[in-house]
Amino acid sequence: MCGDATKWDEDAYRGSILKEREILTRTVFRTVWAPLNPTPDTIVVASSDGSIASYSISSCISKLPLGLSNSKAQHFLGAEPDGFLQGHDGPAYDVKFYCDNDDALLLSCGDDGRIRGWRWNEFKESKVPIHLQGDHVKPVLDLVNPQHKGPWGALSPIPENNAIAIDPQGGSIFSAAGDSSAYCWDVESSKIKMVFKGHSDYLHCVVVRKSASQIVTGSEDGTARIWDCKSGKCIKVIDPVRDKKLKGFISCVSCVALDASESWLACGSGQSLSVWNLPASECVSNISSHAPIQDVIFDDNQILSVGAEPLLNRSDINGVILSQIQCAPQSVFSVSRHPSGVVSVGGYGGLVDVISQFGSHLCTFCCQGI
């Protein structure tokens, strides 16, 4: 016998379908380990729904069946956050910690062209129930990219921020923006100190080279550029796929990373990862991938990279691939390393995979939001 159609709630049904689709298509764009945390427990996630949320790894592991990792399970563990902020209108692309002490700021940037910062202590110690969180902690920093004037005084849309980098010693935040420029913001005054112009297309990434007072940016125009932070001028253009461009092929520079000595630069461009010796200004190796590379970091003298395939790749500076570990997300956008050696990767489906320093999966969870 059919149900009573008079009690059918069409709006509720549509809402449930939309919510289910939102969860399935949620993407983790960045993960970062919390400061002052000697064990790899608290991780902060920036997602495509604009949220900034913290999760407890130990809590996720405790919910798994005894002795069982869910990394190969068909349905991954759904994890509720410990803390939740609705950080941006539109996707949140990056999250960083400014300083690693009790006064640390949790910073994020996103598609709305904003860089926002919250006091980490205030966020993690909040007593507000999780279902009421979102705007319960007010940002102490709220920066908005400038709009540009066009004909007849018309203003352009606010350009998005795709990545941020920090320099606490200089009191600066650097952003990679969608108007082909990088910006240096002063944390104290919340004003722009310098604009770095020279790329011909929008920026994907930025990293600070503190020892030389420089930044390195990567762009959709297929180049990485090294900038002098004192003059604002570009001092070197790195073209990872110059030979391919002669054939009409352009591949964006999607990610850049520096090692601890700031002498080596890893540069992801399309399906190629190049390693550069900066003092010698030369490329020392080139590593080919089956899929576009989307994030890269250094792990001492080794390089961890991820991309549009479910793999965590580990290679050395000479371009030798040392290992490949299967990951839960089918497309991986972020890789981050805790000082203990534990690595987290995040990507499509709202999935975060936590991998031990020995290559085993500690846990895999799906960010549920609230």
Side-chain angles (χ1 to χ4, degrees), residues 170-234:
S172 302
I173 301 171
F174 297 89
S175 62
D179 60 358
S180 307
S181 299
Y183 293 93
C184 174
W185 294 86
D186 182 79
V187 174
E188 291 295 327
S189 67
S190 296
K191 294 181 179 179
I192 294 174
K193 292 196 288 187
M194 189 167 291
V195 182
F196 304 87
K197 292 185 177 182
H199 282 291
S200 61
D201 211 332
Y202 68 87
L203 275 59
H204 281 282
C205 48
V206 59
V207 66
V208 179
R209 193 183 183 200
K210 299 174 185 176
S211 60
S213 189
Q214 298 171 348
I215 61 168
V216 184
T217 56
S219 170
E220 187 73 13
D221 66 14
T223 67
R225 291 175 178 250
I226 302 177
W227 307 83
D228 177 35
C229 292
K230 296 179 180 178
S231 65
K233 295 182 178 179
C234 175

Side-chain angles (χ1 to χ4, degrees), residues 42 117 122 133 146 168 170 173 177 193 225 255 343 353 369:
T42 302
E122 187 178 353
Q133 293 187 12
I173 301 171
K193 292 196 288 187
R225 291 175 178 250
C255 51
V343 171
D353 210 346

Side-chain angles (χ1 to χ4, degrees), residues 297-339:
I297 60 171
F298 276 87
D299 183 358
D300 294 329
N301 294 323
Q302 297 177 355
I303 300 168
L304 304 179
S305 61
V306 294
E309 58 181 348
L311 289 175
L312 170 63
N313 300 292
R314 182 180 291 271
S315 57
D316 64 17
I317 288 177
N318 297 316
V320 178
I321 296 177
L322 304 175
S323 67
Q324 292 183 314
I325 299 175
Q326 196 78 18
C327 298
Q330 292 302 301
S331 183
V332 187
F333 287 90
S334 169
V335 55
S336 60
R337 180 185 180 276
H338 187 269

Side-chain angles (χ1 to χ4, degrees), residues 86-291:
Q86 189 56 50
H88 298 274
D89 295 324
Y93 291 133
D94 202 359
V95 60
K96 294 281 194 305
F97 278 99
Y98 185 88
C99 298
D100 56 359
N101 52 35
D102 291 334
D103 295 324
L105 291 181
L106 174 62
L107 302 175
S108 70
C109 70
D111 194 60
D112 56 4
R114 309 185 92 93
I115 300 172
R116 309 185 82 189
W118 300 265
R119 297 196 186 281
W120 174 239
N121 278 339
E122 187 178 353
F123 172 71
K124 69 178 181 177
E125 295 171 3
S126 173
K127 303 301 182 183
V128 176
I130 189 66
H131 67 279
L132 297 177
Q133 293 187 12
D135 58 359
H136 62 297
V137 179
K138 301 303 178 184
V140 295
L141 193 71
D142 196 354
L143 313 176
V144 186
N145 280 342
Q147 294 174 280
H148 304 288
K149 287 187 177 181
W152 301 288
L155 290 175
S156 69
I158 298 174
E160 75 275 13
N161 283 316
N162 294 309
I164 51 177
I166 63 166
D167 178 16
Q169 292 180 340
S172 302
I173 301 171
F174 297 89
S175 62
D179 60 358
S180 307
S181 299
Y183 293 93
C184 174
W185 294 86
D186 182 79
V187 174
E188 291 295 327
S189 67
S190 296
K191 294 181 179 179
I192 294 174
K193 292 196 288 187
M194 189 167 291
V195 182
F196 304 87
K197 292 185 177 182
H199 282 291
S200 61
D201 211 332
Y202 68 87
L203 275 59
H204 281 282
C205 48
V206 59
V207 66
V208 179
R209 193 183 183 200
K210 299 174 185 176
S211 60
S213 189
Q214 298 171 348
I215 61 168
V216 184
T217 56
S219 170
E220 187 73 13
D221 66 14
T223 67
R225 291 175 178 250
I226 302 177
W227 307 83
D228 177 35
C229 292
K230 296 179 180 178
S231 65
K233 295 182 178 179
C234 175
I235 59 175
K236 184 173 180 59
V237 177
I238 295 175
D239 196 341
V241 290
R242 180 180 55 189
D243 295 337
K244 292 182 180 180
K245 283 185 178 180
L246 296 176
K247 302 175 184 179
F249 176 83
I250 296 178
S251 183
C252 70
V253 175
S254 55
C255 51
V256 291
L258 289 166
D259 75 324
S261 71
E262 299 188 331
S263 297
W264 298 93
L265 173 72
C267 186
S269 181
Q271 296 174 224
S272 175
L273 178 66
S274 56
V275 182
W276 299 75
N277 183 312
L278 293 181
S281 296
E282 64 178 359
C283 180
V284 298
S285 65
N286 231 307
I287 307 166
S288 295
S289 173
H290 295 295

